[in-house]
Amino acid sequence: MKFSVSTLAFFAAAAHSAAVLPRADNATSTSSACKSVHTGYLTVFPGEQPSKHIPVGINGQNQVTYGVEADQKFLVEFQTCPSLPDQAPNLDMYNGRIIKSGTTDCLTVSNPTAPSGGPFFLELAACQSDTNPPASQQWEYGNDFGAVVFWKGASEKDEVGWTDDSQSNPVVEQGTSRIELGCAESCSSFNITPEDQL
């Protein structure tokens, strides 16, 4: 079989255009960026017979508190990060990060190396990565119990929620009212709740 010069030039051009794929690489890196899938307020569902979601607050030191009227509730976005494992969008289950809406601040465990039982504490701090957050900023949305939110823990494989007392209310640090996380005894999940469901 003989090929003409123009036929060979066509194949060479096709091979060259197929080999140069920077746009596809850029598309991949863009698609691996964390993106928002749920927006609402970070809430707890306290009490032995809970009746409504209660937002947590943020104090002047960007620490997450509970039960302090002066500390304002804050809007958050759960962002799925495709580079993290175990994404199941068809089941509304994700691994990712939580940002304060309209900012580049992430919900962060301020002491992720505390003993495994905690207590751990939360703050808003600058997000460390747009694709692969550190353990202190990795969260899980959704599991077999529905639209629940847990910190992934220092090992990135746990489900750590807020510590609850014997009446199923959040445990807070004395003097600061920072909400405590840890599942050594008993813990409960956070939720991301729209304004109309508060």
Side-chain angles (χ1 to χ4, degrees):
M1 176 180 238
K2 291 186 177 179
F3 291 102
S4 68
V5 172
S6 60
T7 305
L8 289 174
F10 170 78
F11 284 128
H16 176 72
S17 66
V20 180
L21 295 174
R23 290 185 187 147
D25 291 343
N26 289 341
T28 301
S29 64
T30 301
S31 66
S32 67
C34 302
K35 61 180 182 279
S36 297
V37 290
H38 290 285
T39 300
Y41 292 92
L42 188 67
T43 62
V44 298
F45 201 55
E48 292 178 322
Q49 296 181 342
S51 60
K52 69 178 192 171
H53 293 275
I54 307 293
V56 297
I58 191 81
N59 67 19
Q61 292 77 45
N62 282 330
Q63 299 167 331
V64 178
T65 63
Y66 177 77
V68 181
E69 200 169 310
D71 294 347
Q72 296 294 309
K73 65 185 180 184
F74 56 103
L75 195 65
V76 298
E77 298 172 28
F78 189 96
Q79 295 189 327
T80 179
C81 299
S83 65
L84 299 179
D86 303 323
Q87 306 290 344
N90 57 324
L91 299 175
D92 202 21
M93 294 165 60
Y94 303 96
N95 285 314
R97 66 183 187 174
I98 299 172
I99 66 165
K100 181 180 180 190
S101 191
T103 74
T104 56
D105 290 337
C106 279
L107 189 62
T108 305
V109 173
S110 59
N111 60 330
T113 58
S116 62
F120 301 98
F121 297 100
L122 296 175
E123 65 183 3
L124 289 175
C127 296
Q128 298 299 307
S129 172
D130 289 332
T131 57
N132 191 8
S136 62
Q137 295 180 343
Q138 279 190 32
W139 294 82
E140 169 187 300
Y141 183 96
N143 65 19
D144 293 341
F145 295 102
V148 294
V149 175
F150 288 101
W151 175 48
K152 293 293 292 175
S155 71
E156 302 173 15
K157 296 178 182 175
D158 297 326
E159 289 185 334
V160 181
W162 51 272
T163 306
D164 46 12
D165 63 19
S166 58
Q167 283 80 45
S168 298
N169 291 309
V171 174
V172 297
E173 182 183 49
Q174 292 218 347
T176 67
S177 294
R178 293 190 298 169
I179 192 167
E180 293 187 8
L181 275 69
C183 294
E185 299 295 326
S186 178
C187 68
S188 296
S189 66
F190 288 97
N191 298 94
I192 295 177
T193 309
E195 175 90 50
D196 63 359
Q197 294 178 23
L198 296 179

